[in-house]
Amino acid sequence: MTHARLAFLAPLALAACSNTPPGSGVAALTPLNDTAVLAANCTTCHGVEGRGSGDIPALRGRPATQLAERMLAFKDHRVTGASATVMPLMMQGYSATQIEALAQWFAKETP
């Protein structure tokens, strides 16, 4: 395949993989109405549906305000040292609106 074809196809491939409507000018990694997709990253450590896993605390059923504050504390680097683990880095990938959506999602059911 020639370089000209690749140069033409690369933007098309990126657009096809994007969650952003063409021409919107707004970058969105994941639609907020699909919070379960956002929460999937959390289940790696916090267990299925955030129900806890070993020494890692459960998220499911905790008050949304408590969850949001904790996630924002990680994002703002107010939690440091051993208790921070990888969370400050993980939270950098989420906006405040997405953090609020995650907090509401995990709070919606009891463990």
Side-chain angles (χ1 to χ4, degrees):
M1 190 173 278
T2 68
H3 290 291
R5 283 188 186 162
L6 287 176
F8 174 74
L9 292 176
L12 293 176
L14 289 173
C17 296
S18 173
N19 288 332
T20 305
S24 70
V26 176
L29 297 179
T30 305
L32 280 177
N33 62 358
D34 200 358
T35 308
V37 173
L38 292 174
N41 287 329
C42 307
T43 63
T44 301
C45 297
H46 290 276
V48 176
E49 296 182 346
R51 297 186 189 280
S53 177
D55 292 336
I56 299 173
L59 303 174
R60 179 67 70 193
R62 295 176 82 177
T65 54
Q66 181 186 62
L67 290 169
E69 173 53 36
R70 186 71 169 164
M71 287 187 274
L72 287 170
F74 284 125
K75 183 175 179 69
D76 297 339
H77 299 283
R78 289 182 277 137
V79 180
T80 59
S83 62
T85 62
V86 299
M87 290 301 297
L89 179 61
M90 295 295 294
M91 289 292 97
Q92 295 311 304
Y94 296 100
S95 69
T97 304
Q98 290 172 321
I99 287 172
E100 182 60 36
L102 283 168
Q104 294 295 325
W105 191 81
F106 281 116
K108 74 180 177 183
E109 292 181 21
T110 55

